[in-house]
Amino acid sequence: MIININPEEVSEFQTRISRKDMRIAELEKQVEQLTRERDLALSRASLPSNDETESMTWLCSRFIVISKQKLKNALAKIQDANAIGLLGVLLQKCLHEDATPEESTAIIDAISLPQSPSLSLPQSPSLSLTAEGDVKVSGNYIS
């Protein structure tokens, strides 16, 4: 069996092989870099650092810190109650799993509904109880 290959075909095969080799080398370099970054992040997260500046730099690279007052000022400029509600839900969902009730309350305090006269918002429900004698309460309620 005789195979005839002309110089153009050899050049094409060589180009394909070199492209694949270059792509493999690029991907290996990316994997190596990501592995180093992961190992560094894991070591910083697991070992408490004595250098507060270094740990704050690492935290700031992972989180966005927003001033409560600046957030409140920015949200006060929004005149759409639906948009404010959506942003409130988004901010609540962005809280970390171990968030304290104070952190959640801070978000609620930062969100103010628009005070536009053209915008009619439903009134908040009010509850008034009057009782005499023994009162028995059962069920789920928020105090």
Side-chain angles (χ1 to χ4, degrees), residues 61-101:
S61 69
R62 293 189 60 217
F63 297 101
I64 298 172
V65 179
I66 302 173
S67 162
K68 180 180 172 184
Q69 188 58 43
K70 287 186 179 184
L71 178 63
K72 192 172 189 173
N73 292 343
L75 292 176
K77 295 177 183 175
I78 299 174
Q79 294 298 314
D80 184 9
N82 292 329
I84 291 175
L86 178 66
L87 286 171
V89 170
L90 178 68
L91 290 171
Q92 291 286 343
K93 290 292 184 181
C94 288
L95 283 175
H96 53 93
E97 292 176 0
D98 300 328
T100 63

Side-chain angles (χ1 to χ4, degrees), residues 38-74:
R38 183 207 60 205
D39 292 342
L40 180 62
L42 288 175
S43 69
R44 286 182 176 172
S46 63
L47 297 175
S49 174
N50 291 336
D51 186 10
E52 188 174 320
T53 307
E54 180 183 327
S55 62
M56 285 304 295
T57 303
W58 182 75
L59 280 174
C60 289
S61 69
R62 293 189 60 217
F63 297 101
I64 298 172
V65 179
I66 302 173
S67 162
K68 180 180 172 184
Q69 188 58 43
K70 287 186 179 184
L71 178 63
K72 192 172 189 173
N73 292 343

